[in-house]
């Protein structure tokens, strides 16, 4: 299982957030989130979950690999799992 998480530096609604992705499959990502973080599936953003800062250490302790934002994006793209914002906005499903 390879689940990646970047640092919680993304501000939104008064909190800081991380991105959590898998560079293997979305199914792997959903399983990790359900088992370890309890974030609802409806929070899935097409290719990632946003993880609040208070769950960052929980995710890492459960096995998420901390990486920089650029590496996270590069690995997601290389795996063919990256979904561009325009595809998400149009309601298209990810690959």
């Amino acid at each position: 299982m390879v689940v990646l998480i970047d640092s919680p530096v993304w501000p939104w609604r008064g909190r800081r957030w991380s991105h959590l992705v898998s560079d293997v499959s979305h199914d792997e990502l959903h399983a990790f989130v359900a088992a370890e973080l309890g974030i609802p599936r409806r929070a899935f953003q097409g290719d990632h979950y946003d993880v609040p800062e208070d769950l960052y250490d929980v995710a890492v302790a459960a096995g998420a690999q901390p990486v920089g934002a650029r590496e996270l994006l590069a690995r997601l793209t290389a795996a063919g799992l990256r979904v561009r914002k325009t595809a998400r906005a149009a309601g298209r499903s990810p690959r």
Side-chain angles (χ1 to χ4, degrees):
M1 176 181 293
V2 182
V3 175
L4 310 169
I5 191 165
D6 63 4
S7 297
V9 298
W10 309 101
W12 188 63
R13 294 192 177 185
R15 297 171 83 182
R16 292 187 305 165
W17 300 78
S18 295
H19 298 112
L20 186 74
V21 305
S22 169
D23 68 356
V24 174
S25 75
H26 292 139
D27 290 337
E28 174 186 66
L29 179 60
H30 296 314
F32 179 88
V33 168
E36 304 297 342
L37 303 179
I39 297 172
R41 175 84 179 253
R42 68 180 176 272
F44 183 60
Q45 299 290 312
D47 59 8
H48 72 279
Y49 283 90
D50 292 327
V51 176
E53 181 177 29
D54 56 300
L55 288 180
Y56 177 84
D57 289 336
V58 174
V60 172
Q65 179 183 352
V67 296
R70 289 179 191 227
E71 181 178 349
L72 182 141
L73 181 58
R75 290 175 64 179
L76 185 65
T77 301
L81 297 172
R82 174 75 168 125
V83 176
R84 301 238 180 245
K85 287 183 183 181
T86 55
R88 274 183 271 168
R92 286 178 260 183
S93 62
R95 291 195 232 189

